[in-house]
Amino acid sequence: MGAGTLFDHPLLRLEVAGQQAYLEPDLIAFQHAGRFHVVEIKSFAVIDGRADPGKVAAAAIQAAVYVLAMRRMLEEAGYDRASCRHRTHRISGPSPAC
């Protein structure tokens, strides 16, 4: 496997309702195979072995918006939007103890 590149908290831009919104995913990973991967890091409280489904769904939507923004940025720069995978990686663990 070849070396990859990680972009820590890159700033992405996305037009929403005619206004520019600026987004900051946790990580964009560029793999040797030439594909970008969005990585979102979350910490969820686990109760009875399950995280809150609403919070997990919100994290999935957030990551999907990052993919959309990344794909639009790639297109604007003249690259193939498919260079950014539509599947995201969510890294989650239990919330730290208070």
Side-chain angles (χ1 to χ4, degrees):
M1 177 183 282
T5 303
L6 302 176
F7 298 100
D8 184 24
H9 290 90
L11 188 61
L12 301 176
R13 183 186 58 185
L14 183 66
E15 185 174 319
V16 178
Q19 299 292 318
Q20 293 298 320
Y22 293 92
L23 310 166
E24 189 176 349
D26 290 325
L27 184 69
I28 301 289
F30 180 76
Q31 298 297 325
H32 176 69
R35 303 282 301 264
F36 289 96
H37 300 262
V38 172
V39 178
E40 187 60 22
I41 302 169
K42 294 289 184 194
S43 182
F44 300 112
V46 176
I47 301 171
D48 294 330
R50 293 186 57 187
D52 181 314
K55 290 182 180 179
V56 172
I61 292 168
Q62 182 180 5
V65 170
Y66 293 153
V67 169
L68 178 62
M70 184 71 184
R71 285 182 162 190
R72 291 211 176 139
M73 183 192 74
L74 288 167
E75 272 186 328
E76 289 173 7
Y79 294 97
D80 182 4
R81 67 183 284 123
S83 296
C84 181
R85 286 188 48 106
H86 68 279
R87 291 187 177 183
T88 61
H89 303 276
R90 286 179 305 283
I91 300 171
S92 58
S95 293
C98 295

